Amino acid sequence: MTRHRVIFQPSGRRGEVEDGTNLLDAARNLGVDIESICGGKGTCGKCKVRVEEGFFEKDAMDSRMNHLSPLTGQEMKFLKPSDGPAMRLACAAQVQGDVKIFVPEKSRAGKQIVRKAAKELTIAIDPAVKKYFVEMQKPSLAEPITGDFERLRGHEALREALRRQAGLDGLSIDFTVLRDLQDAIRKGNWGVTVTVWKGREIIKVEPGFVETAYGLAVDVGTTTVVGYLTDLATGKVVNTESMMNPQVPYGEDVMSRITYAMTNEGGVRKMQKTIIDGLNEIIAKATKDLRANGDLSGKKAGGSGDAIVDLTIVFNTAMHHIFLGFNPEYIGRSPFIPAIQHGIDIKARDLGIKINRGSYIYVLPIEAGFVGADNVGVLIAEEPYNMDETVLIIDIGTNGELLLGNRRRVCSTSCATGPAFEGAQIKMGMRAAPGAIEKVKIEPATKEPLYKVIGKEDWHTHVEKIDAKGICGSGIIDAIAEMYKAGIIDKSGKFDMTAKSPRIRRDHDGKPEYVLAWADETSIGADITINQADVRALQLAKGALYAGAKLMMQKMGIEKLDKVILAGAFGSYIDKESAMTLGMFPDCEIDKVYAVGNAAGDGARMALLNTAKRDEAEQRARWVEFVEIAVEPNFEREFMQAMHLPHMKDRFPNLKKLLEKAASPVVING
Ligand code: FES
């Protein structure tokens, strides 16, 4: 029977199915959860999925609408124009050729947990956008004619306040806002609240006294997008909204999106529209509650995003270029030159971003071809340039970005870790969602595992069925570190097939694998395993990080790290001991290794709340020295050595102590 390839996004799960299999069954076979309240009868309309059309070079797949059976009358009942083009009901569409399918958020049964909660920041509140209440003298016929804007601009108290804030004595007004001015002034009985950007330009006018002003700090990651709705007066995050990056169907990593842009006509525009639509969705969701709570700024504005008067945004350079509609081609090939390095202020409306119409967005500066505004966010949030100790900051995402140094000198680099840390490219990998195995322990003597699944309180004891579906990034790191500690794999990552356990076996193709969960413990009806290819994918990812750190250390003449900071939401969920056991970074005292959460997002929040932080970002982005590690003559050798667990040659005295304490049989070079 003919078989066809199917890829589901955003999970990245893929496999072959027989001709005529419907997409719902294909999804189930591949461990992808799609809502199907009617059980696939075609009567609930919940299983809507989108066909991604085009040639996807990375997957060598030509995905077409007509690779599915023709649209049925039943489907037409449920598919609305507002669903967008290329939608199908998964239970009705049969696979007749290779297809790439995107499962929209609404149709996903196990909703993704985006772990990017905002932490408390300590920062002086001095935002770029401020509100001022101005009470003006009513005009009369007895005085010379003064226009509404001139009357406002000439108001002494406002002039004084702006002089204090920005040292400026001239004020302009956004042209579209000027249209509101006459009515606002009169509605407020000559009392009006003006929102001023950087002491220079009026970007909003509201009748009467309005106190609250909101800003949105946005972090666009390769895989997830998060927006922090922030009260600009208090600095408090009032709402956090996140989503999978809707560009994922165009490529899971940065390089494949650049390739998509280069090989598909209108590719940049298409991806730009996708991310801007996504951001607008975040804006609408983040501000929806404001109106529900009866907040005035939301209600009066009439449009949900109008309550937002400022927006800061960080991303890696490829996402930056695509977002702004620049051609990302030149940052994708040597010598990796970006269109612009400085930060940019852009009218939000010029990009179609639905916040207050007169507002600007501030795009943080970028460092180099592959070290983006997100790393500048990390830089200004963690301030290694104010530290005496030598610190290595690892921002673990689909692209790994590193900062190393102290107050004397800081270097940065990026390494292509790929999405393995996020569960992609791992056979049973999945995003962090209910049902994902997130923590693992393996008993060295028996090789029996214990694991914890997201959404369940307790560790699995093999007594009850726990409905595991796959393994997320933190689970993979734990599992492979534990497999190494238990002697299931050796230093080179190779399986030891002599170990006596039914869990260590060969798959259908004769390749070694370890069974983490038996089929009857899972909700996918199949064993959850880690195979040799998974171990290799993780070794490649961690090897890239380690080699990057090591080469930077060599360049800077640093022999020992005083501190390791794990940035990125993912960094907060990985076990630091497991990370060190694998050799994701050079040896360091374990107490000096800590996670700081989404530091890139923290940087965006700081730039939102404090203008001086924007200046700091501009200066420090130019001060940091970028190191291109891929062209270093030692790179290949370092990378190869770093593929070993924890490393082929380097000494790990701190890890050695730890493992000795835990009575692990593994011998570490101390
Ligand atoms: Fe209900 Fe497809 S599963 S309509």
Side-chain angles (χ1 to χ4, degrees):
M1 186 134 207
T2 325
R3 294 173 75 80
H4 308 291
R5 289 191 301 139
V6 184
I7 301 177
F8 284 98
Q9 296 286 14
S11 67
R13 287 269 170 114
R14 59 196 67 211
E16 285 191 354
V17 297
E18 280 183 6
D19 185 79
T21 310
N22 74 43
L23 284 174
L24 189 63
D25 288 337
R28 283 183 185 144
N29 293 344
L30 295 170
V32 176
D33 279 327
I34 294 181
E35 286 282 10
S36 54
I37 294 175
C38 71
K41 293 195 186 74
T43 53
C44 71
K46 291 281 174 217
C47 61
K48 287 176 192 167
V49 294
R50 191 173 73 224
V51 182
E52 296 299 341
E53 282 206 283
F55 180 71
F56 297 92
E57 189 168 287
K58 192 173 161 240
D59 308 306
M61 174 183 276
D62 193 21
S63 166
R64 300 280 157 212
M65 269 307 262
N66 60 12
H67 290 182
L68 293 176
S69 55
L71 198 67
T72 63
Q74 184 69 8
E75 285 181 272
M76 283 189 225
K77 276 195 218 159
F78 290 104
L79 298 173
K80 299 183 220 89
S82 58
D83 291 328
M87 295 300 274
R88 297 292 305 262
L89 289 188
C91 63
Q94 292 168 355
V95 181
Q96 297 176 344
D98 293 351
V99 273
K100 190 179 244 197
I101 301 294
F102 183 76
V103 185
E105 185 89 32
K106 260 197 232 141
S107 310
R108 277 176 233 155
K111 301 271 188 285
Q112 158 101 5
I113 300 174
V114 179
R115 300 156 141 182
K116 290 199 171 180
K119 68 165 195 246
E120 285 275 320
L121 296 179
T122 314
I123 185 153
I125 309 279
D126 184 21
V129 173
K130 288 183 180 151
K131 287 198 168 185
Y132 301 92
F133 176 61
V134 186
E135 268 185 306
M136 286 173 278
Q137 279 290 326
K138 247 188 192 171
S140 78
L141 276 175
E143 59 176 87
I145 301 275
T146 309
D148 285 348
F149 173 61
E150 285 74 14
R151 183 173 297 269
L152 176 66
R153 186 171 62 176
H155 193 276
E156 201 35 57
L158 179 63
R159 287 178 63 178
E160 183 48 37
L162 295 179
R163 265 199 297 267
R164 271 202 312 269
Q165 189 204 340
L168 294 174
D169 202 6
L171 186 64
S172 62
I173 185 164
D174 178 270
F175 174 65
T176 67
V177 175
L178 183 57
R179 290 191 193 121
D180 302 335
L181 185 64
Q182 291 164 294
D183 286 345
I185 288 179
R186 283 156 188 87
K187 242 189 232 164
N189 197 21
W190 298 88
V192 66
T193 300
V194 291
T195 307
V196 180
W197 175 76
K198 287 190 168 177
R200 289 186 216 157
E201 182 182 333
I202 296 175
I203 53 168
K204 186 173 191 170
V205 288
E206 292 159 285
F209 175 69
V210 183
E211 204 175 9
T212 26
Y214 294 100
L216 191 75
V218 182
D219 171 19
V220 179
T222 312
T223 309
T224 52
V225 183
V226 60
Y228 303 102
L229 184 70
T230 308
D231 184 326
L232 291 179
T234 63
K236 287 255 167 310
V237 171
V238 293
N239 210 348
T240 301
E241 280 298 335
S242 55
M243 59 159 54
M244 299 292 293
N245 187 328
Q247 295 172 322
V248 167
Y250 303 112
E252 283 170 7
D253 53 39
V254 167
M255 271 323 286
S256 46
R257 275 178 225 170
I258 294 177
T259 310
Y260 182 86
M262 284 159 59
T263 49
N264 289 271
E265 212 191 303
V268 177
R269 289 270 163 265
K270 210 165 165 186
M271 286 190 280
Q272 183 191 27
K273 183 175 181 312
T274 310
I275 185 63
I276 285 175
D277 288 350
L279 182 52
N280 282 335
E281 215 175 287
I282 284 189
I283 289 167
K285 276 201 214 152
T287 49
K288 198 174 99 217
D289 288 343
L290 293 181
R291 284 175 297 159
N293 293 342
D295 181 275
L296 278 181
S297 53
K299 233 180 196 172
K300 275 190 183 172
S304 57
D306 282 3
I308 297 173
V309 290
D310 198 10
L311 189 149
T312 53
I313 188 162
V314 295
F315 19 41
N316 62 47
T317 37
M319 301 302 100
H320 167 282
H321 276 49
I322 295 167
F323 182 85
L324 297 172
F326 302 155
N327 183 354
E329 191 178 336
Y330 310 110
I331 47 165
R333 61 171 141 98
S334 182
F336 314 108
I337 303 299
I340 181 170
Q341 283 173 287
H342 289 89
I344 325 173
D345 294 305
I346 310 163
K347 282 280 177 189
R349 61 176 181 244
D350 290 347
L351 287 169
I353 296 168
K354 294 176 181 162
I355 59 171
N356 168 54
R357 96 178 98 84
S359 288
Y360 289 85
I361 69 163
Y362 174 61
V363 177
L364 270 78
I366 62 181
E367 285 167 41
F370 265 108
V371 189
D374 46 2
N375 201 246
V376 176
V378 175
L379 191 66
I380 60 167
E382 297 309 315
E383 303 180 3
Y385 42 78
N386 288 329
M387 289 182 190
D388 291 321
E389 295 170 297
T390 300
V391 59
L392 172 69
I393 307 175
I394 311 177
D395 192 5
I396 312 165
T398 313
N399 213 35
E401 286 173 355
L402 305 174
L403 287 163
L404 173 69
N406 50 37
R407 67 170 72 246
R408 284 182 297 281
R409 192 179 171 201
V410 174
C411 285
S412 71
T413 198
S414 83
C415 26
T417 50
F421 289 138
E422 284 161 336
Q425 284 174 6
I426 298 287
K427 188 172 148 231
M428 306 299 288
M430 63 182 283
R431 313 271 185 213
I437 295 177
E438 59 165 349
K439 287 184 177 42
V440 178
K441 292 259 171 265
I442 299 176
E443 171 56 46
T446 61
K447 320 283 186 236
E448 280 301 299
L450 279 180
Y451 59 82
K452 203 191 149 301
V453 164
I454 295 179
K456 304 268 174 184
E457 280 288 295
D458 301 319
W459 285 69
H460 178 45
T461 54
H462 307 291
V463 176
E464 41 148 5
K465 182 172 156 64
I466 200 151
D467 289 344
K469 288 183 187 139
I471 321 164
C472 66
S474 58
I476 289 156
I477 287 181
D478 258 11
I480 297 179
E482 289 288 312
M483 283 163 70
Y484 173 56
K485 285 201 268 181
I488 298 167
I489 50 174
D490 67 13
K491 207 174 161 52
S492 72
K494 222 172 113 223
F495 273 72
D496 174 5
M497 298 308 283
T498 60
K500 291 268 162 297
S501 163
R503 291 181 181 269
I504 303 165
R505 65 182 192 194
R506 289 189 185 275
D507 66 11
H508 302 308
D509 300 325
K511 305 241 171 66
E513 63 180 10
Y514 174 75
V515 183
L516 197 51
W518 297 111
D520 61 0
E521 298 163 18
T522 74
S523 62
I524 53 169
D527 296 342
I528 294 179
T529 55
I530 300 229
N531 64 18
Q532 188 70 71
D534 298 337
V535 176
R536 292 282 176 245
L538 196 94
Q539 284 178 284
L540 284 170
K542 82 96 190 169
L545 278 185
Y546 191 101
K550 176 96 180 283
L551 286 165
M552 282 212 289
M553 286 170 77
Q554 281 173 357
K555 250 197 141 73
M556 296 174 77
I558 293 168
E559 293 198 339
K560 187 182 140 294
L561 299 173
D562 296 325
K563 229 193 246 184
V564 174
I565 295 179
L566 304 172
F570 175 55
S572 307
Y573 290 89
I574 57 176
D575 183 282
K576 55 186 184 180
E577 218 178 293
S578 293
M580 201 150 94
T581 305
L582 290 178
M584 279 174 67
F585 45 84
D587 189 65
C588 181
E589 232 177 274
I590 199 82
D591 294 341
K592 293 284 182 70
V593 179
Y594 59 93
V596 291
N598 182 17
D602 292 347
R605 288 168 59 204
M606 288 177 165
L608 186 68
L609 292 171
N610 185 303
T611 23
K613 272 287 185 192
R614 297 189 189 189
D615 299 337
E616 196 173 311
E618 299 289 346
Q619 287 155 12
R620 292 299 179 174
R622 302 282 72 80
W623 177 79
V624 165
E625 297 166 50
F626 172 69
V627 184
E628 178 57 82
I629 52 157
V631 298
E632 286 288 314
N634 293 345
F635 178 74
E636 284 300 326
R637 197 190 63 214
E638 285 301 339
F639 183 46
M640 194 272 292
Q641 294 186 352
M643 293 262 291
H644 283 68
L645 308 177
H647 189 273
M648 189 188 236
K649 291 185 175 156
D650 287 355
R651 287 152 40 89
F652 278 77
N654 286 294
L655 178 64
K656 187 180 163 80
K657 265 188 255 159
L658 271 178
L659 295 190
E660 278 170 1
K661 222 158 107 195
S664 164
V666 170
V667 180
I668 298 283
N669 184 8

